[in-house]
Amino acid sequence: VFGADISENILSTGVWGKNGFTTVELNVKLSAAVNLPKDLFSFMKNVGQSQSYNISNLGVRARSYMELAVGHSHSITERLNIGAKVKFLVGLLDAEARIDNMRVNMDGEQWRVEANGSLYAAAPGLDVGTKAGSNEIDFNSISLFEFEDGDDVNSIIRQITGGIGYGAAIDLGATYELIDGLTLSAAVVDLGFMTWGNAITAHTDNQQPWMFDGFDNIAINNPDSENSIDNQLNALGEDLQELIRMYKDEGMSRKAEMLTATLNLGAEYKLPFYRKLSAGFLYSNRFSGPYSKYEGRFFVNVHPVKWFEFSTNYGISNHGSSWGAALSLDFPGVGIFLGTDNIFWNVTPPIVEGLAISSVPYNKANVSLNFGLTFNLSKLRHLGDSRD
């Protein structure tokens, strides 16, 4: 599974009350995931060693939405804090293509493909074209906000608003200091739903198999190949378009779905001989069908002075293991945060395109990078300070 999750805060503000803190946020969120099963790589790498392959749970998904969130954290007792956040959502994009089952058999010098899959896509101003003389989707002709010359203003507005999604969600969490120095925490995030209108749907032709010539120039696990990672990914995308064929359904569809909820359970213990050093464990489970991720992560934090905090951690998940670190600097009026859950060392040689120079990690390409910059306009406070 390859995935990316981006959360961009546009505006946020907060205000203190008696024993509590209330926040208002406006965020844009984007998540994308690709599930490429092991059998697909076996087909790509070992062509000729077998005359038949059975590939299941192949899929790609993307979702983007804006959220207006109102949250409140409250100190119930000296040891118990609780929090909740209500979110109002406006969907910008929802798309998923998945193959539940695919049978690929050698037929002469070509591969005979039979598949059972579907596609769903909704977005403002979305247009999905088909190949000439057929209702087969042309993946190269998918566009946004391209309207006909004869479309009037009302028609354009209907096309834009018809593809917008609407929904709501809630976050719930609590921390409890069980004994001096030992704090337990639990939270569930993004527990909610989204509804979409004017969506385009498509399905594979389960009655009529099609032919596939095979994969070209795919060098798996070989970062030193003459074909760059960039070219290989482009070639893989083009080949998958030929391997997977979808046929557009008539009319539009509506869809209601649950958001990708996440459950977090944690424990942190401040060492009695040095309270500024703590160790702990965090379990996280992201519920997302074939794109789900569950992880256990051990961490050590050190906070020797008010303005400096450093953390290092090691995690084990269904995507493998990783070592990460985080750094927080809090100066008068401004704070800086930088963290990653996977420090990677192996990268490809730089790819030079114009003035852009970049490298791509391999072996362990799953990585989450976080950067934050905050400006504090009032006295620094923590939940429960009013009892001091």
Side-chain angles (χ1 to χ4, degrees), residues 26-343:
L26 181 63
N27 304 308
V28 175
K29 292 195 172 184
L30 169 66
S31 64
V34 179
N35 187 42
L36 302 178
K38 181 179 179 181
D39 292 339
L40 175 65
F41 288 95
S42 178
F43 175 44
M44 293 163 52
K45 186 177 181 181
N46 303 317
V47 172
Q49 294 187 13
S50 177
Q51 298 295 305
S52 178
Y53 295 89
N54 195 325
I55 302 170
S56 302
N57 294 325
L58 170 64
V60 57
R61 190 187 68 183
R63 178 189 292 156
S64 178
Y65 58 87
M66 295 184 65
E67 67 173 23
L68 176 63
V70 180
H72 182 75
S73 300
H74 201 82
S75 180
I76 303 298
T77 68
E78 292 183 355
R79 294 184 179 270
L80 176 63
N81 298 317
I82 62 172
K85 184 179 291 184
V86 178
K87 305 176 180 180
F88 304 94
L89 313 177
V90 177
L92 306 176
L93 168 68
D94 187 36
E96 181 176 15
R98 58 182 300 165
I99 298 295
D100 297 314
N101 184 271
M102 177 186 292
R103 294 177 297 277
V104 185
N105 301 292
M106 176 57 75
D107 187 354
E109 296 183 354
Q110 291 183 307
W111 294 96
R112 185 173 183 267
V113 183
E114 299 175 78
N116 181 19
S118 60
L119 178 146
Y120 174 93
L126 174 65
D127 180 64
V128 178
T130 57
K131 295 183 179 180
S134 169
N135 64 337
E136 180 185 345
I137 288 180
D138 183 356
F139 290 98
N140 293 317
S141 66
I142 297 177
S143 62
L144 289 172
F145 303 111
E146 292 188 9
F147 305 103
E148 302 279 339
D149 290 338
D151 288 343
D152 57 24
V153 174
N154 291 333
S155 175
I156 293 175
I157 292 175
R158 284 195 301 269
Q159 292 181 58
I160 293 176
T161 58
I164 292 177
Y166 300 94
I170 188 172
D171 298 347
L172 299 171
T175 65
Y176 181 69
E177 189 175 6
L178 185 63
I179 59 175
D180 289 343
L182 177 60
T183 301
L184 307 179
S185 61
V188 59
V189 180
D190 290 333
L191 184 62
F193 69 96
M194 182 82 73
T195 60
W196 301 84
N198 289 357
I200 294 170
T201 60
H203 294 82
T204 54
D205 188 343
N206 299 326
Q207 306 299 321
Q208 182 62 44
W210 60 89
M211 307 308 293
F212 176 61
D213 292 332
F215 290 94
D216 296 322
N217 301 321
I218 304 298
I220 301 175
N221 296 331
N222 185 10
D224 298 323
S225 168
E226 293 181 0
N227 293 316
S228 70
I229 292 290
D230 218 16
N231 292 335
Q232 290 182 46
L233 292 176
N234 289 335
L236 176 59
E238 293 172 359
D239 289 340
L240 286 175
Q241 289 182 28
E242 293 300 320
L243 176 63
I244 302 171
R245 300 187 182 182
M246 296 283 184
Y247 297 86
K248 189 175 178 180
D249 297 329
E250 296 293 334
M252 307 298 284
S253 176
R254 297 185 64 85
K255 182 182 180 182
E257 60 182 353
M258 298 296 293
L259 296 180
T260 300
T262 302
L263 172 67
N264 296 311
L265 301 173
E268 182 178 12
Y269 182 64
K270 295 181 179 179
L271 302 184
F273 57 85
Y274 187 58
R275 287 295 186 179
K276 296 178 181 181
L277 179 65
S278 65
F281 176 79
L282 175 65
Y283 170 78
S284 181
N285 195 332
R286 183 179 176 86
F287 302 95
S288 187
Y291 314 100
S292 295
K293 179 182 179 181
Y294 47 87
E295 177 184 75
R297 189 167 290 271
F298 298 90
F299 61 87
V300 176
N301 297 330
V302 61
H303 196 179
V305 292
K306 288 185 177 181
W307 60 269
F308 176 86
E309 185 173 3
F310 178 77
S311 174
T312 185
N313 56 77
Y314 182 79
I316 301 174
S317 74
N318 58 327
H319 295 168
S321 60
S322 62
W323 170 49
L327 175 67
S328 177
L329 303 174
D330 293 309
F331 302 110
V334 63
I336 300 173
F337 172 82
L338 178 64
T340 175
D341 64 0
N342 187 6
I343 300 175

